[in-house]
Amino acid sequence: ATKGVILIGGPSKAPKPLLPIGGKPMIWHPLAALARIPELTEVFIVGFYEDALMTDFIRGAKREFPKLSISYLREYRSLGTAGGLYHFRDSLLPNLGMLFVLNADICSSFPLAELMDMHQKHRGVGTMMGVTVPKETATRYGCIVHDPASAQVLHYVEKPEKWISSLINGGVYLFDKSFFDEVKAAMDTKEKHAAEDPFGERDDILRLEQDVLVPLAAGRKLFVYESKDFWRQIKRAGSAVPASALYLNHFTKTNPKLLTAPSKEGGGPTIIAPVYIDPSAEVDPSAKIGPNVSLGANVVVAPGARVRDAIIMEGTTIDKHACVQNSIVGKHCKIGPWGRVDGAPEDPMDTKNNLNITILATEVTVAKETCIVLPNKTLNRSAHDQVLL
Ligand code: GDD
Ligand code: GTP
């Protein structure tokens, strides 16, 4: 059987994998992509968040994708990007054909069918999705030197000090079953080194990139599928708003039913597409929403309010004539009448990854007539770990 793994890492109080991006929890997107592969039947979400945090999501996902068996495999500690694959091999290996491994913290169209197509044309152990990024940003990622004619990876370096290539690891892989032999070999090598080193400590941590992909590339067993489609990493809270915009735009083409229809003549709020509004949200007809907005469950938007380029999480109220832009507003916040929450739009070429987005944490109240313009600031005691990270 073909199976899929989604790597979600962990932990923080509000789990980043559940942050709404494009109106859906971040990990919904890779899961939905796996569900589109006809022969894929089993998905394992691997991380070290508490089980309880994942239960509701998994219950909903099983209902939405009934053909998939979905389970959460919890690591007892952070085991690295390949440690969990090794640790849970007894769950993954039975009856395994091919295995997709997807990072959770990226946004992508997940061209898995194309990846599979290319994988079946060579005799390598794995195929990774490569994407091209601006030269100045390439060293933040795993960098790939390949032979364009054969798509073979000649050289792989995780986050090199100096630029070697702008084709980078997009965090989407397809492996043959024999991948587990490579993982086992990497673990053996690591244990051997630990045994030789008098101060060496034994642990189960294994890095997919340095410990497995590097030797795979050296052995010419790794290939790359170059995707030209949209791709972006979602590392910091600030990258969630532009990532959300990418998904909302993508849905305009692929799945417009997921979005809120542009305003009709005469009734309803002004909607500037693309916008996602949860069916339980209440938006006053005189409000103006969009572009690039998602409103979560039970959000209330009062008369005259304006929201653009923002993620508004469940239970938040935006009072009359308030204006929210380039911001993430956490659950159950209150933005008072005439309040203003404003971040600066992101500069895509900003190589320092400085993100001028305002983040309001859970249960913050912005009082009447407050005018807040706090680019790059977190507006509350513990906004960061409550919103993201
Ligand atoms: N289960 C589990 N356990 N998952 C983990 C762990 C862990 O201990 N650590 C990280 N992850 C998950 C993260 O949630 C994320 O989805 C993925 O694994 C990779 O995260 P990082 O290890 O933080 O690496 P990175 O994001 O800096 O870089 C990776 O992704 C880039 C693309 O976004 C590398 O694979 C790069 O080469 C790649 O370019
Ligand atoms: P669009 O491009 O269609 O969005 O037009 P616009 O940007 O000229 O006007 P828009 O309706 O987007 O108004 C948003 C701007 O209104 C923001 O840039 C804010 O600076 C400003 N604004 C500030 N406070 C408020 C408020 O309380 N209510 C509304 N509606 N707008 C406000």
Side-chain angles (χ1 to χ4, degrees), residues 8-24:
I8 64 168
S12 51
K13 264 178 274 148
K16 171 170 137 177
L18 300 179
L19 187 89
I21 309 283
K24 300 278 185 189

Side-chain angles (χ1 to χ4, degrees), residues 7-9 46-48 75 78-81 103-106 141-142 156 158-159 168-171 173 209 231 233 235:
L7 296 171
I8 64 168
V46 181
F48 59 109
E75 296 167 8
S78 169
L79 294 177
T81 40
N103 286 5
D105 62 352
I106 52 161
Y141 307 100
Y156 179 83
E158 183 63 22
K159 304 184 180 89
I168 63 105
N169 172 7
Y173 316 87
E209 298 83 356
W231 181 89
Q233 204 179 37
K235 270 295 177 223

Side-chain angles (χ1 to χ4, degrees), residues 192-230:
K192 189 164 156 272
H193 287 154
E196 285 162 359
D197 176 356
F199 303 102
E201 270 183 59
R202 291 200 47 203
D203 59 41
D204 290 344
I205 296 171
L206 198 65
R207 302 162 303 176
L208 177 59
E209 298 83 356
Q210 295 93 328
D211 301 331
V212 185
L213 297 183
V214 168
L216 266 181
R220 298 288 188 271
K221 293 183 236 177
L222 186 62
F223 290 74
V224 58
Y225 166 74
E226 281 185 71
S227 169
K228 304 285 178 205
D229 218 338
F230 73 93

Side-chain angles (χ1 to χ4, degrees), residues 70-284:
I70 306 169
S71 30
Y72 178 49
L73 301 176
R74 189 186 180 202
E75 296 167 8
Y76 61 97
R77 59 172 290 188
S78 169
L79 294 177
T81 40
L85 299 173
Y86 181 74
H87 186 75
F88 294 113
R89 60 193 180 283
D90 290 345
S91 304
L92 297 167
L93 272 167
N95 189 28
L96 180 67
M98 286 187 281
L99 181 71
F100 282 101
V101 177
L102 313 185
N103 286 5
D105 62 352
I106 52 161
C107 97
S108 166
S109 58
F110 294 102
L112 303 185
E114 290 88 336
L115 189 73
M116 207 164 178
D117 224 42
M118 149 123 215
H119 184 74
Q120 278 155 348
K121 290 191 182 121
H122 64 69
R123 314 189 119 259
V125 170
T127 306
M128 68 200 304
M129 182 180 84
V131 290
T132 302
V133 297
K135 190 173 180 181
E136 313 59 60
T137 64
T139 57
R140 286 185 213 158
Y141 307 100
C143 292
I144 302 167
V145 178
H146 76 304
D147 167 28
S150 65
Q152 199 167 46
V153 178
L154 304 174
H155 191 48
Y156 179 83
V157 189
E158 183 63 22
K159 304 184 180 89
E161 275 180 31
K162 287 209 184 78
W163 180 89
I164 58 161
S165 164
S166 295
L167 182 66
I168 63 105
N169 172 7
V172 174
Y173 316 87
L174 179 58
F175 296 112
D176 282 356
K177 189 176 184 174
S178 62
F179 165 70
F180 281 89
D181 302 334
E182 310 286 335
V183 172
K184 172 79 169 59
M187 193 53 113
D188 290 347
T189 306
K190 198 192 125 157
E191 291 193 340
K192 189 164 156 272
H193 287 154
E196 285 162 359
D197 176 356
F199 303 102
E201 270 183 59
R202 291 200 47 203
D203 59 41
D204 290 344
I205 296 171
L206 198 65
R207 302 162 303 176
L208 177 59
E209 298 83 356
Q210 295 93 328
D211 301 331
V212 185
L213 297 183
V214 168
L216 266 181
R220 298 288 188 271
K221 293 183 236 177
L222 186 62
F223 290 74
V224 58
Y225 166 74
E226 281 185 71
S227 169
K228 304 285 178 205
D229 218 338
F230 73 93
W231 181 89
R232 185 177 184 114
Q233 204 179 37
I234 317 172
K235 270 295 177 223
R236 319 243 209 112
S239 46
V241 172
S244 193
L246 288 173
Y247 275 136
L248 292 171
N249 272 313
H250 181 60
F251 288 155
T252 309
K253 287 168 250 149
T254 60
N255 207 342
K257 275 193 227 120
L258 289 176
L259 301 174
T260 304
S263 10
K264 286 184 216 75
E265 232 10 86
T270 305
I271 303 291
I272 305 160
V275 164
Y276 168 82
I277 300 180
D278 186 276
S280 64
E282 274 176 54
V283 182
D284 187 88

Side-chain angles (χ1 to χ4, degrees), residues 270 272 286-288 290-291 303-308 319-325 337-340 342:
T270 305
I272 305 160
S286 65
K288 186 172 173 183
R306 175 76 178 102
V307 187
R308 63 183 301 166
D319 217 328
K320 59 182 179 195
H321 303 292
C323 176
V324 179
Q325 47 186 353
W338 302 97
R340 191 174 166 128
D342 196 347

Side-chain angles (χ1 to χ4, degrees), residues 308-352:
R308 63 183 301 166
D309 297 290
I311 296 172
I312 313 296
M313 287 163 66
E314 65 181 68
T316 282
T317 297
I318 298 173
D319 217 328
K320 59 182 179 195
H321 303 292
C323 176
V324 179
Q325 47 186 353
N326 300 303
S327 300
I328 299 168
V329 181
K331 293 181 187 178
H332 307 290
C333 290
K334 286 189 168 40
I335 313 297
W338 302 97
R340 191 174 166 128
V341 180
D342 196 347
E346 190 197 33
D347 172 3
M349 287 308 290
D350 184 350
T351 50
K352 295 190 300 294

